[in-house]
């Protein structure tokens, strides 16, 4: 079977969430998919849950941990990417879910527009599941300029062509600990990758992802979050200057960077 998209899910002690995450992928209208669940040394029964699902659906694969202790989501995502067979890839956390039609909208939109990547709207939910708001994509085409301005979209609202990602050499940095995904989108944009806005079969903006704001998933270490954010954007601005982004109506000045970091 030709695989249209590989959905890569790092997993660490996710027994409460992982079944719903996988089910939201398997229930998609696009069926030419694979789900790679990369275990990160879970100590609960997460692996059993995934193994049971995989036994009934060959599109699901449990990737065993490669260490006796957790190594982090960045390493797990990179391991999943190395094993992926899809034309596109999506990275999804174990407590995330997709809206119906999400994968078809992301893949079809990218192929229609001959785009290396696509991104769609997402919904924010509180810990018990209630809807807080819908966050829309506000650009039909997202480039380096929008990313350097602090554009933020959750990881599983994106789909990226696997060959483009592999050819770019961009991988998740294991030394960051947080906002590894933002770093990846910035470095892909620096490599010339752009995103088209995903649309559904009615040509309306597609709603693709749901994100639950769990208290335990919010960054409790604010200084680390701020330091990593500053590091990622400083690196990106420096790389953009070296690449001559100032000639392409993209503000990469120190003042613009300072303003971005103050409002992040």
């Amino acid at each position: 079977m030709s695989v249209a998209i590989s959905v890569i899910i790092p997993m660490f002690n996710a027994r409460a969430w992982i079944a719903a995450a996988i089910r939201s992928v398997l229930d998609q209208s696009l069926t030419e998919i694979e789900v790679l669940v990369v275990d990160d040394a879970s100590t609960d029964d997460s692996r059993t849950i995934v193994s049971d699902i995989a036994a009934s659906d060959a599109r699901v694969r449990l990737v065993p941990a490669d260490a006796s202790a957790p190594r982090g989501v960045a390493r797990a995502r990179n391991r999943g990417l190395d094993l992926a067979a899809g034309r596109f890839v999506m990275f999804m956390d174990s407590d995330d879910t997709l809206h119906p039609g999400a994968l078809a909208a992301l893949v079809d939109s990218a192929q229609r527009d001959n785009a290396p990547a696509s991104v769609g709207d997402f919904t924010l939910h509180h810990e018990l599941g209630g809807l807080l708001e819908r966050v829309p994509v506000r650009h039909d085409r997202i480039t380096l300029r929008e990313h350097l301005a602090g554009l933020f979209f959750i990881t599983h609202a994106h789909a990226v062509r696997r060959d483009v990602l592999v050819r770019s050499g961009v991988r998740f940095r294991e030394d960051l600990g947080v906002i590894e995904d933002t770093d990846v989108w910035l470095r892909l944009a620096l490599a010339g990758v752009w995103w088209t806005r995903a649309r559904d079969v009615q040509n309306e903006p597609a709603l693709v992802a749901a994100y639950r704001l769990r208290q335990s998933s919010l960054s409790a270490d604010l200084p680390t979050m701020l330091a990593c954010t500053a590091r990622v954007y400083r690196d990106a601005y420096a790389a953009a200057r070296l690449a001559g982004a100032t000639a392409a109506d993209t503000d990469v000045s120190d003042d613009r960077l300072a303003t971005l970091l103050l409002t992040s």
Side-chain angles (χ1 to χ4, degrees), residues 17-250:
W17 315 102
I18 190 63
I22 296 172
R23 180 52 54 194
S24 78
V25 181
L26 297 180
D27 287 346
Q28 292 288 305
S29 57
L30 180 65
T31 59
E32 296 83 11
I33 62 174
E34 67 173 358
V35 184
L36 299 173
V37 182
V38 185
D39 185 46
D40 191 22
S42 294
T43 57
D44 64 1
D45 59 349
S46 298
R47 287 171 293 184
T48 300
I49 293 170
V50 177
S51 294
D52 289 346
I53 296 172
S56 63
D57 196 318
R59 296 175 298 172
V60 179
R61 175 181 175 187
L62 174 62
V63 181
D66 64 347
S68 58
R71 304 289 293 274
V73 296
R75 182 179 178 85
R77 288 170 179 165
N78 288 334
R79 292 184 66 216
L81 177 60
D82 290 338
L83 297 170
R87 296 193 303 277
F88 289 82
V89 292
M90 168 188 283
F91 300 97
M92 182 172 165
D93 289 339
S94 59
D95 58 348
D96 290 334
T97 55
L98 296 176
H99 287 288
L103 297 182
L106 288 164
V107 170
D108 290 348
S109 296
Q111 293 182 153
R112 176 199 65 214
D113 296 337
N114 196 26
S118 58
V119 63
D121 295 3
F122 68 93
T123 50
L124 285 174
H125 300 258
H126 61 61
E127 189 157 6
L128 297 179
L131 176 65
L132 295 174
E133 64 175 318
R134 174 170 175 162
V135 182
V137 178
R138 301 192 182 278
H139 307 274
D140 288 332
R141 180 183 175 114
I142 296 168
T143 64
L144 178 61
R145 178 173 59 183
E146 287 73 40
H147 282 287
L148 289 176
L151 178 76
F152 169 76
F153 259 71
I154 58 175
T155 302
H156 64 302
H158 299 252
V160 183
R161 269 177 41 195
R162 181 169 61 89
D163 64 331
V164 170
L165 184 53
V166 171
R167 191 166 57 245
S168 74
V170 172
R171 294 172 70 82
F172 289 89
R173 286 169 56 178
E174 298 179 26
D175 62 323
L176 284 175
V178 292
I179 72 162
E180 307 97 330
D181 50 347
T182 298
D183 173 73
V184 164
W185 311 140
L186 281 164
R187 287 189 287 131
L188 283 175
L190 283 161
V193 173
W194 58 278
W195 286 251
T196 193
R197 184 179 190 181
R199 294 186 175 275
D200 61 22
V201 292
Q202 285 81 38
N203 201 35
E204 294 295 326
L207 178 62
V208 300
Y211 183 76
R212 191 188 301 262
L213 293 169
R214 291 196 296 119
Q215 188 62 37
S216 60
S217 67
L218 298 176
S219 177
D221 188 352
L222 184 58
T224 297
M225 174 65 77
L226 293 175
C228 287
T229 299
R231 178 180 175 187
V232 164
Y233 277 102
R234 284 178 182 135
D235 287 351
Y237 268 62
R241 291 183 192 119
L242 286 174
T246 51
D249 73 351
T250 300

